[in-house]
Amino acid sequence: MLRIGVLGSGSGSNMQSIVEAIAAGTLDARVVCVLSDVPDAGILARAARHGIPHQYVDPAPFKTKLEGLAEERVIGLLQAFGADTVVLAGFMRVVKPGLLRAFPRRVLNIHPALLPAFPGLAAWKQALAYGVKVAGCTVHFVDEGIDSGPVIVQRSVPVRDDDTPDSLHARIQAEEHQAYPEALRWLAAGRLRIDGRRVICT
Ligand code: GRF
């Protein structure tokens, strides 16, 4: 059984999809804590509704990364709650080597694009602006780069002529809510092997 610690900055819909998969009996895991760098983030309220331990961690003095005292606090909390797997679910900060060293090959992220296309912020807007006809999402192991770690699963969606950023994002998010539980199911079953850049699902 995976013991998942979730880090998030936003609404928490991906965290919810993981909690629902666990409740439905399709994912052998437990969400042991939810931590956020945003005090009023929806993900904290959702965690509260599900009775999951949750906490705001002040990220100061950094604006875009998790480092220093905040990183130490996050690692300490994850360890105190007994997490063995860290799930970044809409966490809007770059994680640094300290967290990766504390949870080697056990930090996952979800990105709203088919990587390596459109890393970084608001990837669905980048995809729409570029004019691609297929968009999607990627679940990957986190390495020291930005949205650059080995890919576990990708799901695609069509881009429609009348799409707005919101409509495309909603279509991508519906796939995210399938992709994250699926990747975690494979991880929980011990089926994922990393071979260089490639993740082999046995
Ligand atoms: C998702 O689109 C995810 O791909 C991106 O941030 C968003 C988080 O949404 N990294 P939510 O907080 O899980 O609803």
PDB file of all heavy atoms in Angstrom, residues 8-16 43 46 88-92 109-113 124 137-138 169 172-173 176-177, ligand 1:
ATOM      1  N   GLY A   8       0.126  20.566  -2.998  1.00  0.00           N
ATOM      2  CA  GLY A   8      -0.682  21.254  -3.998  1.00  0.00           C
ATOM      3  C   GLY A   8      -0.870  22.713  -3.647  1.00  0.00           C
ATOM      4  O   GLY A   8      -0.777  23.094  -2.473  1.00  0.00           O
ATOM      5  N   SER A   9      -1.142  23.505  -4.679  1.00  0.00           N
ATOM      6  CA  SER A   9      -1.338  24.945  -4.478  1.00  0.00           C
ATOM      7  C   SER A   9      -2.715  25.408  -4.919  1.00  0.00           C
ATOM      8  O   SER A   9      -3.063  26.583  -4.722  1.00  0.00           O
ATOM      9  CB  SER A   9      -0.306  25.736  -5.300  1.00  0.00           C
ATOM     10  OG  SER A   9       0.992  25.241  -5.148  1.00  0.00           O
ATOM     11  N   GLY A  10      -3.494  24.524  -5.561  1.00  0.00           N
ATOM     12  CA  GLY A  10      -4.729  24.970  -6.216  1.00  0.00           C
ATOM     13  C   GLY A  10      -5.976  24.293  -5.688  1.00  0.00           C
ATOM     14  O   GLY A  10      -6.117  24.062  -4.476  1.00  0.00           O
ATOM     15  N   SER A  11      -6.856  23.943  -6.615  1.00  0.00           N
ATOM     16  CA  SER A  11      -8.185  23.472  -6.219  1.00  0.00           C
ATOM     17  C   SER A  11      -8.182  22.050  -5.672  1.00  0.00           C
ATOM     18  O   SER A  11      -9.049  21.676  -4.894  1.00  0.00           O
ATOM     19  CB  SER A  11      -9.137  23.556  -7.409  1.00  0.00           C
ATOM     20  OG  SER A  11      -9.066  22.373  -8.163  1.00  0.00           O
ATOM     21  N   GLY A  12      -7.215  21.248  -6.077  1.00  0.00           N
ATOM     22  CA  GLY A  12      -7.117  19.895  -5.525  1.00  0.00           C
ATOM     23  C   GLY A  12      -7.960  18.853  -6.225  1.00  0.00           C
ATOM     24  O   GLY A  12      -8.221  17.783  -5.660  1.00  0.00           O
ATOM     25  N   SER A  13      -8.366  19.109  -7.466  1.00  0.00           N
ATOM     26  CA  SER A  13      -9.209  18.107  -8.140  1.00  0.00           C
ATOM     27  C   SER A  13      -8.429  16.820  -8.416  1.00  0.00           C
ATOM     28  O   SER A  13      -9.008  15.727  -8.379  1.00  0.00           O
ATOM     29  CB  SER A  13      -9.812  18.666  -9.430  1.00  0.00           C
ATOM     30  OG  SER A  13      -8.822  18.889 -10.403  1.00  0.00           O
ATOM     31  N   ASN A  14      -7.130  16.923  -8.674  1.00  0.00           N
ATOM     32  CA  ASN A  14      -6.339  15.692  -8.871  1.00  0.00           C
ATOM     33  C   ASN A  14      -6.209  14.911  -7.565  1.00  0.00           C
ATOM     34  O   ASN A  14      -6.316  13.679  -7.574  1.00  0.00           O
ATOM     35  CB  ASN A  14      -4.960  16.032  -9.439  1.00  0.00           C
ATOM     36  CG  ASN A  14      -5.014  16.232 -10.942  1.00  0.00           C
ATOM     37  OD1 ASN A  14      -5.131  15.272 -11.704  1.00  0.00           O
ATOM     38  ND2 ASN A  14      -4.959  17.485 -11.378  1.00  0.00           N
ATOM     39  N   MET A  15      -5.997  15.604  -6.478  1.00  0.00           N
ATOM     40  CA  MET A  15      -5.959  14.934  -5.179  1.00  0.00           C
ATOM     41  C   MET A  15      -7.277  14.203  -4.948  1.00  0.00           C
ATOM     42  O   MET A  15      -7.312  13.051  -4.527  1.00  0.00           O
ATOM     43  CB  MET A  15      -5.713  15.977  -4.084  1.00  0.00           C
ATOM     44  CG  MET A  15      -5.580  15.422  -2.682  1.00  0.00           C
ATOM     45  SD  MET A  15      -7.131  15.191  -1.821  1.00  0.00           S
ATOM     46  CE  MET A  15      -7.596  16.879  -1.506  1.00  0.00           C
ATOM     47  N   GLN A  16      -8.381  14.868  -5.298  1.00  0.00           N
ATOM     48  CA  GLN A  16      -9.697  14.252  -5.112  1.00  0.00           C
ATOM     49  C   GLN A  16      -9.840  12.983  -5.948  1.00  0.00           C
ATOM     50  O   GLN A  16     -10.407  11.990  -5.505  1.00  0.00           O
ATOM     51  CB  GLN A  16     -10.776  15.262  -5.507  1.00  0.00           C
ATOM     52  CG  GLN A  16     -12.165  14.692  -5.505  1.00  0.00           C
ATOM     53  CD  GLN A  16     -13.077  15.388  -4.507  1.00  0.00           C
ATOM     54  OE1 GLN A  16     -12.767  16.456  -3.989  1.00  0.00           O
ATOM     55  NE2 GLN A  16     -14.191  14.762  -4.244  1.00  0.00           N
ATOM     56  N   ILE A  43      -7.352  22.900  -2.150  1.00  0.00           N
ATOM     57  CA  ILE A  43      -6.895  21.533  -1.834  1.00  0.00           C
ATOM     58  C   ILE A  43      -6.929  21.289  -0.322  1.00  0.00           C
ATOM     59  O   ILE A  43      -7.204  20.158   0.103  1.00  0.00           O
ATOM     60  CB  ILE A  43      -5.485  21.275  -2.437  1.00  0.00           C
ATOM     61  CG1 ILE A  43      -5.173  19.782  -2.464  1.00  0.00           C
ATOM     62  CG2 ILE A  43      -4.401  22.066  -1.722  1.00  0.00           C
ATOM     63  CD1 ILE A  43      -3.958  19.413  -3.308  1.00  0.00           C
ATOM     64  N   ARG A  46     -10.577  20.692   0.561  1.00  0.00           N
ATOM     65  CA  ARG A  46     -10.994  19.344   0.127  1.00  0.00           C
ATOM     66  C   ARG A  46     -10.445  18.277   1.067  1.00  0.00           C
ATOM     67  O   ARG A  46     -11.142  17.318   1.408  1.00  0.00           O
ATOM     68  CB  ARG A  46     -10.470  19.045  -1.273  1.00  0.00           C
ATOM     69  CG  ARG A  46     -11.279  19.666  -2.381  1.00  0.00           C
ATOM     70  CD  ARG A  46     -10.887  18.984  -3.690  1.00  0.00           C
ATOM     71  NE  ARG A  46     -10.985  19.886  -4.805  1.00  0.00           N
ATOM     72  CZ  ARG A  46     -11.810  19.716  -5.828  1.00  0.00           C
ATOM     73  NH1 ARG A  46     -12.632  18.691  -5.853  1.00  0.00           N
ATOM     74  NH2 ARG A  46     -11.820  20.575  -6.819  1.00  0.00           N
ATOM     75  N   LEU A  88       2.893  15.464  -6.428  1.00  0.00           N
ATOM     76  CA  LEU A  88       2.696  16.890  -6.705  1.00  0.00           C
ATOM     77  C   LEU A  88       1.427  17.010  -7.539  1.00  0.00           C
ATOM     78  O   LEU A  88       1.329  16.446  -8.637  1.00  0.00           O
ATOM     79  CB  LEU A  88       3.890  17.468  -7.467  1.00  0.00           C
ATOM     80  CG  LEU A  88       5.283  17.227  -6.853  1.00  0.00           C
ATOM     81  CD1 LEU A  88       6.356  17.937  -7.684  1.00  0.00           C
ATOM     82  CD2 LEU A  88       5.348  17.677  -5.406  1.00  0.00           C
ATOM     83  N   ALA A  89       0.444  17.711  -7.003  1.00  0.00           N
ATOM     84  CA  ALA A  89      -0.854  17.810  -7.686  1.00  0.00           C
ATOM     85  C   ALA A  89      -1.223  19.282  -7.762  1.00  0.00           C
ATOM     86  O   ALA A  89      -1.850  19.825  -6.852  1.00  0.00           O
ATOM     87  CB  ALA A  89      -1.919  17.017  -6.917  1.00  0.00           C
ATOM     88  N   GLY A  90      -0.745  19.932  -8.830  1.00  0.00           N
ATOM     89  CA  GLY A  90      -0.971  21.359  -8.955  1.00  0.00           C
ATOM     90  C   GLY A  90      -0.112  22.142  -7.973  1.00  0.00           C
ATOM     91  O   GLY A  90      -0.534  23.178  -7.460  1.00  0.00           O
ATOM     92  N   PHE A  91       1.094  21.651  -7.726  1.00  0.00           N
ATOM     93  CA  PHE A  91       2.014  22.353  -6.819  1.00  0.00           C
ATOM     94  C   PHE A  91       2.831  23.318  -7.666  1.00  0.00           C
ATOM     95  O   PHE A  91       3.560  22.907  -8.568  1.00  0.00           O
ATOM     96  CB  PHE A  91       2.922  21.359  -6.101  1.00  0.00           C
ATOM     97  CG  PHE A  91       3.751  21.962  -5.008  1.00  0.00           C
ATOM     98  CD1 PHE A  91       3.156  22.641  -3.955  1.00  0.00           C
ATOM     99  CD2 PHE A  91       5.135  21.855  -5.028  1.00  0.00           C
ATOM    100  CE1 PHE A  91       3.916  23.192  -2.931  1.00  0.00           C
ATOM    101  CE2 PHE A  91       5.910  22.408  -4.008  1.00  0.00           C
ATOM    102  CZ  PHE A  91       5.295  23.080  -2.955  1.00  0.00           C
ATOM    103  N   MET A  92       2.683  24.614  -7.394  1.00  0.00           N
ATOM    104  CA  MET A  92       3.205  25.636  -8.311  1.00  0.00           C
ATOM    105  C   MET A  92       4.617  26.100  -7.952  1.00  0.00           C
ATOM    106  O   MET A  92       4.971  27.246  -8.192  1.00  0.00           O
ATOM    107  CB  MET A  92       2.236  26.831  -8.345  1.00  0.00           C
ATOM    108  CG  MET A  92       0.841  26.463  -8.826  1.00  0.00           C
ATOM    109  SD  MET A  92       0.856  25.630 -10.436  1.00  0.00           S
ATOM    110  CE  MET A  92       1.231  27.031 -11.480  1.00  0.00           C
ATOM    111  N   ASN A 109       4.736  13.941 -10.559  1.00  0.00           N
ATOM    112  CA  ASN A 109       4.064  15.198 -10.893  1.00  0.00           C
ATOM    113  C   ASN A 109       3.100  14.943 -12.043  1.00  0.00           C
ATOM    114  O   ASN A 109       3.269  14.005 -12.821  1.00  0.00           O
ATOM    115  CB  ASN A 109       5.111  16.233 -11.323  1.00  0.00           C
ATOM    116  CG  ASN A 109       4.492  17.580 -11.648  1.00  0.00           C
ATOM    117  OD1 ASN A 109       3.621  18.077 -10.934  1.00  0.00           O
ATOM    118  ND2 ASN A 109       4.910  18.186 -12.757  1.00  0.00           N
ATOM    119  N   ILE A 110       2.095  15.814 -12.143  1.00  0.00           N
ATOM    120  CA  ILE A 110       1.225  15.785 -13.320  1.00  0.00           C
ATOM    121  C   ILE A 110       1.315  17.134 -14.002  1.00  0.00           C
ATOM    122  O   ILE A 110       1.320  18.185 -13.349  1.00  0.00           O
ATOM    123  CB  ILE A 110      -0.228  15.418 -12.972  1.00  0.00           C
ATOM    124  CG1 ILE A 110      -1.027  15.194 -14.259  1.00  0.00           C
ATOM    125  CG2 ILE A 110      -0.890  16.461 -12.065  1.00  0.00           C
ATOM    126  CD1 ILE A 110      -2.193  14.260 -14.107  1.00  0.00           C
ATOM    127  N   HIS A 111       1.427  17.076 -15.335  1.00  0.00           N
ATOM    128  CA  HIS A 111       1.598  18.301 -16.114  1.00  0.00           C
ATOM    129  C   HIS A 111       0.528  18.332 -17.213  1.00  0.00           C
ATOM    130  O   HIS A 111       0.320  17.324 -17.894  1.00  0.00           O
ATOM    131  CB  HIS A 111       2.996  18.327 -16.734  1.00  0.00           C
ATOM    132  CG  HIS A 111       3.260  19.581 -17.502  1.00  0.00           C
ATOM    133  ND1 HIS A 111       3.494  20.792 -16.876  1.00  0.00           N
ATOM    134  CD2 HIS A 111       3.288  19.832 -18.834  1.00  0.00           C
ATOM    135  CE1 HIS A 111       3.659  21.717 -17.806  1.00  0.00           C
ATOM    136  NE2 HIS A 111       3.548  21.170 -18.995  1.00  0.00           N
ATOM    137  N   PRO A 112      -0.111  19.494 -17.420  1.00  0.00           N
ATOM    138  CA  PRO A 112      -1.228  19.549 -18.377  1.00  0.00           C
ATOM    139  C   PRO A 112      -0.786  19.746 -19.829  1.00  0.00           C
ATOM    140  O   PRO A 112      -1.305  20.616 -20.523  1.00  0.00           O
ATOM    141  CB  PRO A 112      -2.058  20.725 -17.858  1.00  0.00           C
ATOM    142  CG  PRO A 112      -1.067  21.615 -17.209  1.00  0.00           C
ATOM    143  CD  PRO A 112       0.014  20.728 -16.639  1.00  0.00           C
ATOM    144  N   ALA A 113       0.156  18.932 -20.281  1.00  0.00           N
ATOM    145  CA  ALA A 113       0.579  18.934 -21.688  1.00  0.00           C
ATOM    146  C   ALA A 113       1.265  17.610 -21.974  1.00  0.00           C
ATOM    147  O   ALA A 113       1.611  16.864 -21.049  1.00  0.00           O
ATOM    148  CB  ALA A 113       1.540  20.086 -21.980  1.00  0.00           C
ATOM    149  N   TRP A 124      -1.711  24.452 -21.204  1.00  0.00           N
ATOM    150  CA  TRP A 124      -2.836  24.344 -22.143  1.00  0.00           C
ATOM    151  C   TRP A 124      -2.981  25.631 -22.956  1.00  0.00           C
ATOM    152  O   TRP A 124      -3.369  25.569 -24.122  1.00  0.00           O
ATOM    153  CB  TRP A 124      -4.132  23.985 -21.396  1.00  0.00           C
ATOM    154  CG  TRP A 124      -4.580  25.053 -20.443  1.00  0.00           C
ATOM    155  CD1 TRP A 124      -5.473  26.054 -20.680  1.00  0.00           C
ATOM    156  CD2 TRP A 124      -4.125  25.250 -19.091  1.00  0.00           C
ATOM    157  NE1 TRP A 124      -5.604  26.865 -19.576  1.00  0.00           N
ATOM    158  CE2 TRP A 124      -4.790  26.392 -18.589  1.00  0.00           C
ATOM    159  CE3 TRP A 124      -3.232  24.558 -18.264  1.00  0.00           C
ATOM    160  CZ2 TRP A 124      -4.583  26.853 -17.297  1.00  0.00           C
ATOM    161  CZ3 TRP A 124      -3.028  25.036 -16.976  1.00  0.00           C
ATOM    162  CH2 TRP A 124      -3.701  26.168 -16.507  1.00  0.00           C
ATOM    163  N   CYS A 137      -2.080  15.318 -21.174  1.00  0.00           N
ATOM    164  CA  CYS A 137      -1.423  15.434 -19.869  1.00  0.00           C
ATOM    165  C   CYS A 137      -0.367  14.354 -19.724  1.00  0.00           C
ATOM    166  O   CYS A 137      -0.401  13.338 -20.434  1.00  0.00           O
ATOM    167  CB  CYS A 137      -2.449  15.331 -18.738  1.00  0.00           C
ATOM    168  SG  CYS A 137      -3.276  13.736 -18.643  1.00  0.00           S
ATOM    169  N   THR A 138       0.536  14.591 -18.804  1.00  0.00           N
ATOM    170  CA  THR A 138       1.659  13.679 -18.559  1.00  0.00           C
ATOM    171  C   THR A 138       1.840  13.487 -17.061  1.00  0.00           C
ATOM    172  O   THR A 138       1.896  14.476 -16.325  1.00  0.00           O
ATOM    173  CB  THR A 138       2.968  14.296 -19.111  1.00  0.00           C
ATOM    174  OG1 THR A 138       2.815  14.577 -20.509  1.00  0.00           O
ATOM    175  CG2 THR A 138       4.149  13.348 -18.902  1.00  0.00           C
ATOM    176  N   HIS A 169      -8.634  23.266 -21.071  1.00  0.00           N
ATOM    177  CA  HIS A 169      -8.113  22.841 -19.757  1.00  0.00           C
ATOM    178  C   HIS A 169      -9.060  21.837 -19.107  1.00  0.00           C
ATOM    179  O   HIS A 169      -8.631  20.844 -18.517  1.00  0.00           O
ATOM    180  CB  HIS A 169      -7.905  24.055 -18.843  1.00  0.00           C
ATOM    181  CG  HIS A 169      -7.132  23.731 -17.592  1.00  0.00           C
ATOM    182  ND1 HIS A 169      -7.284  24.412 -16.422  1.00  0.00           N
ATOM    183  CD2 HIS A 169      -6.191  22.781 -17.338  1.00  0.00           C
ATOM    184  CE1 HIS A 169      -6.483  23.897 -15.497  1.00  0.00           C
ATOM    185  NE2 HIS A 169      -5.803  22.910 -16.029  1.00  0.00           N
ATOM    186  N   ILE A 172      -8.573  18.482 -20.671  1.00  0.00           N
ATOM    187  CA  ILE A 172      -7.307  17.883 -20.216  1.00  0.00           C
ATOM    188  C   ILE A 172      -7.454  17.391 -18.774  1.00  0.00           C
ATOM    189  O   ILE A 172      -7.020  16.284 -18.429  1.00  0.00           O
ATOM    190  CB  ILE A 172      -6.157  18.907 -20.330  1.00  0.00           C
ATOM    191  CG1 ILE A 172      -5.846  19.189 -21.803  1.00  0.00           C
ATOM    192  CG2 ILE A 172      -4.905  18.403 -19.615  1.00  0.00           C
ATOM    193  CD1 ILE A 172      -4.897  20.368 -22.023  1.00  0.00           C
ATOM    194  N   GLN A 173      -8.111  18.180 -17.947  1.00  0.00           N
ATOM    195  CA  GLN A 173      -8.248  17.781 -16.534  1.00  0.00           C
ATOM    196  C   GLN A 173      -9.042  16.493 -16.377  1.00  0.00           C
ATOM    197  O   GLN A 173      -8.731  15.674 -15.515  1.00  0.00           O
ATOM    198  CB  GLN A 173      -8.890  18.907 -15.736  1.00  0.00           C
ATOM    199  CG  GLN A 173      -7.852  19.999 -15.384  1.00  0.00           C
ATOM    200  CD  GLN A 173      -8.007  20.508 -13.969  1.00  0.00           C
ATOM    201  OE1 GLN A 173      -9.080  20.968 -13.606  1.00  0.00           O
ATOM    202  NE2 GLN A 173      -6.954  20.435 -13.171  1.00  0.00           N
ATOM    203  N   GLU A 176      -6.569  13.963 -16.775  1.00  0.00           N
ATOM    204  CA  GLU A 176      -5.660  13.931 -15.611  1.00  0.00           C
ATOM    205  C   GLU A 176      -6.252  13.073 -14.494  1.00  0.00           C
ATOM    206  O   GLU A 176      -5.544  12.323 -13.823  1.00  0.00           O
ATOM    207  CB  GLU A 176      -5.436  15.353 -15.063  1.00  0.00           C
ATOM    208  CG  GLU A 176      -4.649  16.258 -15.959  1.00  0.00           C
ATOM    209  CD  GLU A 176      -4.365  17.622 -15.334  1.00  0.00           C
ATOM    210  OE1 GLU A 176      -5.074  18.040 -14.389  1.00  0.00           O
ATOM    211  OE2 GLU A 176      -3.439  18.269 -15.804  1.00  0.00           O
ATOM    212  N   HIS A 177      -7.566  13.188 -14.328  1.00  0.00           N
ATOM    213  CA  HIS A 177      -8.207  12.484 -13.216  1.00  0.00           C
ATOM    214  C   HIS A 177      -8.235  10.975 -13.428  1.00  0.00           C
ATOM    215  O   HIS A 177      -8.501  10.222 -12.489  1.00  0.00           O
ATOM    216  CB  HIS A 177      -9.609  13.062 -12.992  1.00  0.00           C
ATOM    217  CG  HIS A 177      -9.584  14.521 -12.648  1.00  0.00           C
ATOM    218  ND1 HIS A 177     -10.652  15.366 -12.842  1.00  0.00           N
ATOM    219  CD2 HIS A 177      -8.573  15.289 -12.147  1.00  0.00           C
ATOM    220  CE1 HIS A 177     -10.306  16.602 -12.465  1.00  0.00           C
ATOM    221  NE2 HIS A 177      -9.049  16.563 -12.048  1.00  0.00           N
TER     222      HIS A 177
HETATM  223  C1  GRF B   1      -3.596  20.591 -13.185  1.00  0.00           C
HETATM  224  O1  GRF B   1      -4.009  21.032 -14.453  1.00  0.00           O
HETATM  225  C2  GRF B   1      -2.187  20.062 -13.229  1.00  0.00           C
HETATM  226  O2  GRF B   1      -1.852  19.459 -14.430  1.00  0.00           O
HETATM  227  C3  GRF B   1      -1.369  21.293 -13.040  1.00  0.00           C
HETATM  228  O3  GRF B   1      -2.108  22.084 -12.129  1.00  0.00           O
HETATM  229  C4  GRF B   1      -3.491  21.748 -12.207  1.00  0.00           C
HETATM  230  C5  GRF B   1      -3.936  21.371 -10.830  1.00  0.00           C
HETATM  231  O4  GRF B   1      -5.320  21.226 -10.721  1.00  0.00           O
HETATM  232  N1  GRF B   1      -0.036  20.952 -12.609  1.00  0.00           N
HETATM  233  P1  GRF B   1      -5.979  20.669  -9.376  1.00  0.00           P
HETATM  234  O5  GRF B   1      -5.503  21.565  -8.233  1.00  0.00           O
HETATM  235  O6  GRF B   1      -5.555  19.245  -9.185  1.00  0.00           O
HETATM  236  O7  GRF B   1      -7.443  20.813  -9.582  1.00  0.00           O
END
